[in-house]
Amino acid sequence: MQGFIKGLLGNSFQAQELRKRCIFKIVPMVNVDGVIVGNYRTSMSGNDLNRKYHNPDDKLHPEVCAIKELVAQILKKEDDETQNWEDDEIFAFIDMHG
């Protein structure tokens, strides 16, 4: 993630064009509570958050719920606007792992 952000903020033509054309929403780490105690795969609740995106629980998987809400807000904004969002829709959702 650090290398991705560094490259994105660089002076290369590609980085400049990406910044002109795209809005990036970056969540550097989802499983902060799990990682802090050495659980790289599971959260503090003992759940693998990568397996909870389909049906997360608000209490057990708040990180997943927050990311899904962020995406829902972006999609709602697209629906609410009168602009043609054909060129401004969500292009990619990238999940990076160490």
Side-chain angles (χ1 to χ4, degrees), residues 7-8 11-19:
L8 190 58
N11 293 323
S12 72
F13 173 77
Q14 292 87 350
Q16 291 176 30
E17 285 299 310
L18 280 170
R19 292 193 306 266

Side-chain angles (χ1 to χ4, degrees), residues 47-57 61 64 68:
N47 289 270
D48 183 343
L49 298 176
N50 290 310
R51 305 292 180 256
K52 299 300 177 183
Y53 274 83
H54 181 64
N55 191 23
D57 180 275
H61 322 112
V64 176
K68 289 184 80 164

Side-chain angles (χ1 to χ4, degrees), residues 20 55 81:
K20 282 184 202 173
N55 191 23
E81 296 291 331

Side-chain angles (χ1 to χ4, degrees), residues 1 28 30-31 40-41 48-51 53 93-98:
M1 177 62 74
V30 175
N31 190 20
Y40 291 93
R41 190 114 181 112
D48 183 343
L49 298 176
N50 290 310
R51 305 292 180 256
Y53 274 83
F93 184 98
I94 303 168
D95 186 3
M96 295 183 180
H97 292 265

Side-chain angles (χ1 to χ4, degrees), residues 16-47:
Q16 291 176 30
E17 285 299 310
L18 280 170
R19 292 193 306 266
K20 282 184 202 173
R21 298 170 188 248
C22 301
I23 296 171
F24 292 85
K25 304 285 187 179
I26 297 173
V27 180
M29 182 179 291
V30 175
N31 190 20
V32 178
D33 293 339
V35 170
I36 202 163
V37 294
N39 298 336
Y40 291 93
R41 190 114 181 112
T42 61
S43 65
M44 287 292 281
S45 65
N47 289 270

Side-chain angles (χ1 to χ4, degrees), residues 5-6 9 12 16 20-21 27 42 47 50 64-65 67-70 72 74 77 84 91 98:
I5 294 170
K6 186 177 178 180
L9 296 175
S12 72
Q16 291 176 30
K20 282 184 202 173
R21 298 170 188 248
V27 180
T42 61
N47 289 270
N50 290 310
V64 176
C65 292
I67 290 173
K68 289 184 80 164
E69 178 60 27
L70 174 65
I74 293 167
K77 179 181 175 194
N84 177 2
F91 177 72

